[in-house]
Amino acid sequence: MRLALFDLDNTLLAGDSDHSWGEFLCETGCVDATEYRARNDAFYADYVAGRLDAVAYQSFTQAILSRTEAAELARWQAEFMAAVIEPIVLAKGEALLRQHREAGDRVVIITATNRFITTPIAARLGVETLIATECGMQDGLYTGRVDGVPCYQDGKVTHLNRWLAQTGQSLEDAYFYSDSRNDLPLLEAVSHPVAVDPDDTLRAIAVERGWPVISLR
């Protein structure tokens, strides 16, 4: 079965769920808005520039998971999905997912954003296979720290290779759709790299290498 791999943020969504989660926490009074927003914005700027310290960022964004009751986290998740994520789900992205399913391909979302944030988004998009940055757990509770290597840049390839070994799947004739320069390692690993509403760096590389450039906006 051929794989159709999709980045999530700014690819299937018209926005970044990771950064938007931080904004949601600020706007709903779950954190000190001034301090948290400043750090959240600084990390996002580093991500856009391709220089994010992914471990430091995950320590920042996952910390609140370890100090919040499960029922409260579930309530926040539901509110976040309804208020923030639903309005930025791209209809053309859903159509492309459907096109690959109808072609018999196995659809996979692979994202740097952590599993707590992205599990309900993948479910909303009808995608059963989600490869994401993992949240540390101990005795059923969040530790507030990343588990293993963040699913970011080369780490995305590491996570995918582990999943391929576990499932017996292959990258032969695989597609990967992404907007970000940070996904170059995985784009270079597949047969069909596709730049989706790409950042300036990825757009230039895609044009130079003859990769398709599409828009789902």
Side-chain angles (χ1 to χ4, degrees), residues 169-195:
Q169 295 284 332
S170 167
L171 277 184
E172 182 179 357
D173 203 31
Y175 283 77
F176 178 43
Y177 297 87
S178 176
D179 72 292
S180 176
R181 64 193 288 176
N182 291 301
D183 282 335
L184 273 172
L186 184 48
L187 286 163
E188 293 171 339
V190 300
S191 301
H192 304 287
V194 182

Side-chain angles (χ1 to χ4, degrees):
M1 182 179 290
R2 184 174 62 178
L3 295 178
L5 308 166
F6 287 82
D7 177 50
L8 178 63
D9 299 309
N10 287 306
T11 300
L12 293 172
L13 301 177
D16 186 285
S17 61
D18 223 351
H19 181 261
S20 296
W21 170 252
E23 278 293 305
F24 169 80
L25 294 176
C26 292
E27 292 171 5
T28 53
C30 301
V31 294
D32 179 282
T34 301
E35 178 184 354
Y36 199 94
R37 181 173 283 119
R39 294 193 66 195
N40 194 43
D41 288 348
F43 278 122
Y44 187 63
D46 285 346
Y47 169 80
V48 171
R51 59 170 183 263
L52 176 68
D53 181 334
V55 173
Y57 176 63
Q58 289 300 322
S59 295
F60 165 72
T61 195
Q62 292 192 35
I64 196 168
L65 304 181
S66 67
R67 60 175 187 262
T68 307
E69 294 292 330
E72 186 78 344
L73 288 174
R75 184 176 66 82
W76 291 352
Q77 262 185 336
E79 291 179 6
F80 177 65
M81 286 295 299
V84 180
I85 297 302
E86 191 60 39
I88 62 172
V89 171
L90 290 167
K92 290 182 179 179
E94 291 187 283
L96 186 56
L97 289 169
R98 185 165 56 251
Q99 177 184 319
H100 275 286
R101 290 193 195 97
E102 290 173 352
D105 301 332
R106 180 163 183 175
V107 174
V108 177
I109 289 175
I110 181 164
T111 176
T113 302
N114 73 57
R115 187 169 294 276
F116 171 81
I117 295 171
T118 56
T119 293
I121 302 175
R124 162 62 182 81
L125 293 170
V127 178
E128 294 181 3
T129 304
L130 170 66
I131 301 172
T133 294
E134 297 294 342
C135 301
M137 302 288 293
Q138 185 172 359
D139 300 327
L141 302 173
Y142 289 103
T143 65
R145 298 181 301 276
V146 64
D147 180 12
V149 177
C151 190
Y152 170 71
Q153 293 185 340
D154 290 326
K156 189 168 277 193
V157 177
T158 300
H159 277 255
L160 178 61
N161 284 338
R162 182 184 303 122
W163 179 80
L164 292 172
Q166 292 170 346
T167 61
Q169 295 284 332
S170 167
L171 277 184
E172 182 179 357
D173 203 31
Y175 283 77
F176 178 43
Y177 297 87
S178 176
D179 72 292
S180 176
R181 64 193 288 176
N182 291 301
D183 282 335
L184 273 172
L186 184 48
L187 286 163
E188 293 171 339
V190 300
S191 301
H192 304 287
V194 182
V196 181
D197 299 294
D199 61 44
D200 291 343
T201 298
L202 179 56
R203 181 179 295 275
I205 291 170
V207 170
E208 178 185 348
R209 299 184 184 182
W211 296 349
V213 177
I214 68 171
S215 177
L216 298 178
R217 302 296 176 111

